[in-house]
Amino acid sequence: MPNHYLPFSFMKIFGKIEDITAALAQIRAQKKTVGFVPTMGALHKGHMSLVLRARENDVVVSSIFVNPTQFNNPEDLKKYPRTLDKDLAMLESSQNDIVFNPDVGEMYPSNEREEHFEFDGLDTVMEGKFRPGHFNGVARVVSKLFRIVEPDRAYFGEKDYQQLLIIKKISEKLFPEMNIVACPTVREPDGLAMSSRNALLDETSRSEAALISRALFQVRELKDKLNVTELEKLVSDKINSSSSLRVEYFEIADERNLQPLTEINEHARAFIAVLAGKIRLIDNLSLNF
Ligand code: PAF
């Protein structure tokens, strides 16, 4: 997308790295703080909650970039929802100041060597097992975006909890000055965690998908009465008995290092991935309540 300004809008939209870095240099020269919300577009209220939280800074920058390197499945990349005009209108109405919307060539020049990241084991469980290479792709794009935007704070939703820990890990190593701010999962009225992928669900899967969060909340309720194996069985029986949902994994793990727990403690968090028809949904819930 060329750099342009929406008619009657104060929000600036940049597609080129050199243009956004020039604009941000001016902002930094005025000693203003910058909050950053990286997204892949198809925005919903969950993203907007990140933008609203980021207003604690002087300037809010969001990015919209469907990052090809984090998709291990080409079909998934092809069908990922793209709703740019609606996204820009939503950002504008949430008082976002700057949007970075580069194309693939801008972010990944063809002569560039792939960077590899070390996550100290955070990437070998759950999503990492089912989506090989996914977190390296996330780390590649997020570290590029951090180098371009150089925010004071960057905002990520707890819905992608494993991603959040992985981003905290690379930030500690590579961007120690930056704060990673974790924001709570935003849910639909029936409890389904908001996700861009929800728009791809057919009617049956969408109505049955409410079972996912219901199962997690039930685990939280019963955590003192049932053991981990019994809780796992409860969740898979409940979800797999629907017509369109199949559990890919359900794990109770320590929320500090994602290692599976055999007994629930104060750091326990329940994690789940479910195939709803052909759409993969994830969710998680702290059991520390
Ligand atoms: O969570 C997302 O939308 C993406 O993984 C992110 C962090 C924007 C990187 O592409």
Side-chain angles (χ1 to χ4, degrees):
M1 162 181 282
N3 301 323
H4 70 267
Y5 297 85
L6 290 175
F8 315 116
S9 165
F10 294 110
M11 192 168 79
K12 296 187 180 78
I13 305 168
F14 297 102
K16 297 282 173 220
I17 295 172
E18 62 173 311
D19 295 328
I20 188 169
T21 48
L24 287 168
Q26 284 183 19
I27 286 165
R28 249 176 254 108
Q30 297 166 46
K31 303 263 178 275
K32 290 187 171 165
T33 57
V34 174
F36 179 41
V37 181
T39 83
M40 296 206 297
L43 302 183
H44 49 68
K45 285 187 195 149
H47 295 111
M48 291 309 112
S49 74
L50 306 181
V51 172
L52 292 180
R53 178 78 197 273
R55 293 233 48 94
E56 64 188 328
N57 302 277
D58 298 318
V59 173
V60 181
V61 179
S62 298
S63 61
I64 298 178
F65 177 64
V66 182
N67 171 37
T69 65
Q70 72 188 75
F71 285 82
N72 49 312
N73 174 351
E75 266 310 297
D76 192 22
L77 172 60
K78 216 158 87 189
K79 69 183 180 213
Y80 198 82
R82 289 161 172 88
T83 56
L84 185 61
D85 290 343
K86 186 169 156 247
D87 294 347
L88 294 175
M90 284 174 83
L91 287 172
E92 156 114 277
S93 66
S94 302
Q95 297 177 323
N96 181 84
D97 300 295
I98 293 178
V99 183
F100 183 46
N101 177 222
D103 62 22
V104 175
E106 186 70 8
M107 291 299 280
Y108 295 109
S110 53
N111 55 358
E112 187 189 84
R113 281 229 322 262
E114 185 180 339
E115 213 179 331
H116 286 278
F117 295 83
E118 192 38 66
F119 305 115
D120 301 339
L122 287 174
D123 60 327
T124 55
V125 292
M126 298 188 285
E127 289 303 285
K129 260 197 215 157
F130 283 84
R131 303 185 66 188
H134 167 67
F135 287 121
N136 205 68
V138 170
R140 264 179 97 183
V141 79
V142 168
S143 58
K144 273 171 188 281
L145 290 166
F146 283 177
R147 284 189 195 107
I148 295 165
V149 178
E150 294 185 55
D152 298 276
R153 301 182 188 88
Y155 297 79
F156 294 88
E158 284 187 344
K159 206 272 256 150
D160 296 300
Y161 192 88
Q162 191 170 6
Q163 165 175 282
L164 171 70
L165 285 202
I166 276 177
I167 290 170
K168 278 188 176 165
K169 169 78 61 191
I170 59 164
S171 306
E172 277 160 21
K173 288 184 192 164
L174 303 174
F175 309 96
E177 302 295 302
M178 188 186 304
N179 271 306
I180 302 298
V181 183
C183 300
T185 302
V186 179
R187 296 183 181 279
E188 298 286 355
D190 67 359
L192 177 64
M194 288 201 183
S195 161
S196 305
R197 291 174 200 274
N198 293 353
L200 301 173
L201 295 170
D202 62 36
E203 216 178 302
T204 309
S205 308
R206 172 61 194 87
S207 69
E208 292 185 337
L211 281 176
I212 301 169
S213 62
R214 252 182 250 151
L216 293 181
F217 281 98
Q218 202 175 7
V219 167
R220 186 195 267 181
E221 244 172 70
L222 296 176
K223 67 173 186 189
D224 299 324
K225 298 202 176 83
L226 302 182
N227 66 33
V228 168
T229 315
E230 289 165 336
L231 290 168
E232 281 167 0
K233 181 165 171 5
L234 177 105
V235 169
S236 47
D237 286 354
K238 187 178 179 91
I239 292 178
N240 291 341
S241 67
S242 70
S243 69
S244 69
L245 309 181
R246 293 295 165 266
V247 175
E248 205 170 66
Y249 65 76
F250 169 74
E251 279 199 20
I252 296 180
D254 187 311
E255 62 186 2
R256 296 167 300 178
N257 57 21
L258 305 183
Q259 291 310 302
L261 290 172
T262 47
E263 273 178 37
I264 293 180
N265 63 26
E266 74 269 32
H267 300 292
R269 189 174 275 266
F271 295 86
I272 191 162
V274 169
L275 273 176
K278 289 192 170 143
I279 309 306
R280 208 168 165 276
L281 301 174
I282 59 171
D283 198 353
N284 68 85
L285 191 71
S286 162
L287 302 184
N288 180 23
F289 280 90

